[in-house]
Every structure is written in structure tokens, then in C-alpha cells.
Amino acid sequence: MAVGSPLGRSTRVFMAYCVETGKLVLLKDDTWRVVSPSQSPEHMIYEELKKHRVRNICTCKEGSDVLDQVTRTQDTSMARHLSSPLRRLQHYRLVLNEIGRSLADFKNTKEMVTAVRRHYRYLYRSLNGIAADSLSTAHGDAYDKAEILHIYINSGNILITHIGGGLLIDWDLCKSFNIYIKDKPTLKGMSTPLGTWQFMAARLLVIPTHGELPPTPDRADDLESFFYVLVCIAV
């Protein structure tokens, strides 16, 4: 969601000067992370991805909560009567070492497609089931090595590097395969699916009937989101 959206988390990103290294860094400021036992802060997610040697992602310099800044809306009497419970949010800041261009600022079609295709390992499968694209990528590595699914693939989460490569960012709402796909504890009480609406897989947009849980996103849904990103940027 955009900063001005009443439905978003008011995330803003700036270039900042690091006095320790004398270099420019990317500051993810004024973001409000979800407080949940099943949702780790983003800097911890980057540590997990790094431990599993996931490629084509940013390196995290540091991240921390802003003390004593937690939402209270979810604790009001009005919130208790809502069909879907409001999430508790914590003010949070993150610093990344790499700075890239927005995918929408691509110089040519090849650069755009290259930046996107670096983030999934299997784009197609032939009729006999053999993978046609075996690139080592951020999304594929995260899923295969760290068992983490990004879920929130959109045009704002892919950056173009100075050499024309791509970086997949915004892992703050990703889900661990072990926790999310197998046990599904985070779906309890939810009436809406996870993802960015404009780029979500078609099957995830089906509104569940009363008492049913929304469909569980999987790898194929993220790949479909990558396709919609290409269409959105190209058109």
C-alpha cells in the first residue's frame, strides 16, 4: 500500500548516510511490523536467509523496534466487535546496505525481465515435468533452502541494481513453510487472504464463505504474482 493509503502500514524508505562506514544505505523508516509469535522482525528474517545462503537479496545492516510505540486500536471496545480482529503493530526501522532503482525505472525491456526472473527458480515446467529454468534466485533459494515463502510479491518489492541485476526485498510478511503451510496457526480468525491484491494469484481472490479459512498461498501463487508484476510494469 502507498504511504497515503488508509489500509497500509505507512512504510517510507529513504537513502541515509552511515557515519560508521561513510556510505549511503537504505533506511526503511516508519514501518509498522505485525506483532505475532509466528512473525519475526525483518532483520531476523534476513539473518535466516543469509544463514541459508539465499542469493539476490539485500544485506541487512541492522533493525530494531522503536521503544514504547505500539498500536492501541486493537484493544478498543469497538475493535472487539469486528468480524476480523485487528493486528497489533509495532513501530520498526530497518537499515539495508544496498540501494537500488525501482523496477518501474528500468532502462530497457531486457533489464526489467532480467531483474524479475532472477527471483524465481522455476518459471516453466515442460510437459514431462522437467524444469526449464534452473536459475539460482532469491525466491527459489528462500523456498528450497530456508523453507520461506515471500507471499507479498509486487512491483515495489523488486529493485534493480547498478549492474542491472535484481534484488527481492520486503520480507517482513513472509511465512516460514514449517509454521505457515504445515500448521497454519496464523490463519485462525482471518477472513481475507494474504498478499498484495493487485498481484495476487486468481485463486486467492476467491472470498471464503462464512466460517471458512482463505486459501493457503503456495509457491505457484507467488510465481503467478511475478507474472502479474511483468504485465503491470510492461503495460
Side-chain angles (χ1 to χ4, degrees), residues 139 148-153 157 168-171 173-174 222:
H139 187 269
I148 289 177
L149 189 64
H150 192 284
I151 293 180
Y152 279 79
I153 302 297
N157 290 344
L168 186 58
I169 62 172
D170 287 351
W171 293 85
L173 294 174
C174 70
D222 271 13

Side-chain angles (χ1 to χ4, degrees), residues 204-222:
L204 300 180
L205 295 175
V206 178
I207 300 176
T209 59
H210 181 70
E212 292 186 354
L213 293 175
T216 303
D218 58 26
R219 184 184 208 167
D221 297 318
D222 271 13

Side-chain angles (χ1 to χ4, degrees), residues 9-210:
R9 293 179 294 145
S10 300
T11 300
R12 295 188 294 178
V13 179
F14 305 95
M15 283 194 297
Y17 178 78
C18 179
V19 295
E20 295 178 355
T21 63
K23 298 180 179 180
L24 292 177
V25 294
L26 191 69
L27 172 62
K28 190 176 181 180
D29 188 25
D30 286 346
T31 186
W32 293 79
R33 70 175 185 86
V34 177
V35 179
S36 169
S38 62
Q39 194 69 54
S40 302
E42 192 170 5
H43 68 277
M44 295 180 64
I45 296 172
Y46 272 104
E47 291 176 2
E48 185 70 13
L49 294 173
K50 181 180 179 180
K51 182 176 71 174
H52 288 87
R53 298 183 180 181
V54 175
R55 291 160 283 190
N56 295 324
I57 62 172
C58 292
T59 53
C60 180
K61 181 174 178 56
E62 56 185 306
S64 64
D65 292 335
V66 179
L67 297 179
D68 301 322
Q69 294 194 24
V70 183
T71 56
R72 300 179 181 179
T73 310
Q74 70 282 342
D75 298 326
T76 62
S77 57
M78 181 180 295
R80 299 189 186 101
H81 298 287
L82 297 176
S83 58
S84 297
L86 297 177
R87 299 175 295 182
R88 184 182 301 274
L89 304 177
Q90 165 70 55
H91 194 186
Y92 176 79
R93 288 172 179 157
L94 181 78
V95 179
L96 302 174
N97 287 321
E98 289 81 12
I99 298 175
R101 285 181 285 120
S102 168
L103 184 63
D105 295 330
F106 64 92
K107 296 179 179 178
N108 51 61
T109 304
K110 180 180 179 180
E111 183 180 66
M112 177 192 67
V113 175
T114 299
V116 174
R117 77 192 294 258
R118 284 180 181 272
H119 300 302
Y120 48 82
R121 170 166 284 178
Y122 303 111
L123 175 60
Y124 314 107
R125 285 191 180 274
S126 61
L127 294 177
N128 61 3
I130 300 176
D133 192 334
S134 58
L135 290 173
S136 296
T137 63
H139 187 269
D141 278 359
Y143 189 91
D144 292 333
K145 299 178 180 179
E147 296 191 330
I148 289 177
L149 189 64
H150 192 284
I151 293 180
Y152 279 79
I153 302 297
N154 59 58
S155 58
N157 290 344
I158 300 175
L159 299 180
I160 300 175
T161 67
H162 66 284
I163 59 174
L167 295 173
L168 186 58
I169 62 172
D170 287 351
W171 293 85
D172 54 325
L173 294 174
C174 70
K175 297 296 180 182
S176 168
F177 181 85
N178 285 325
I179 296 176
Y180 181 61
I181 305 298
K182 297 178 180 178
D183 299 331
K184 303 182 183 179
T186 56
L187 287 176
K188 186 178 181 180
M190 293 183 60
S191 60
T192 56
L194 297 173
T196 304
W197 280 91
Q198 300 93 319
F199 303 96
M200 286 172 59
R203 76 178 189 90
L204 300 180
L205 295 175
V206 178
I207 300 176
T209 59
H210 181 70

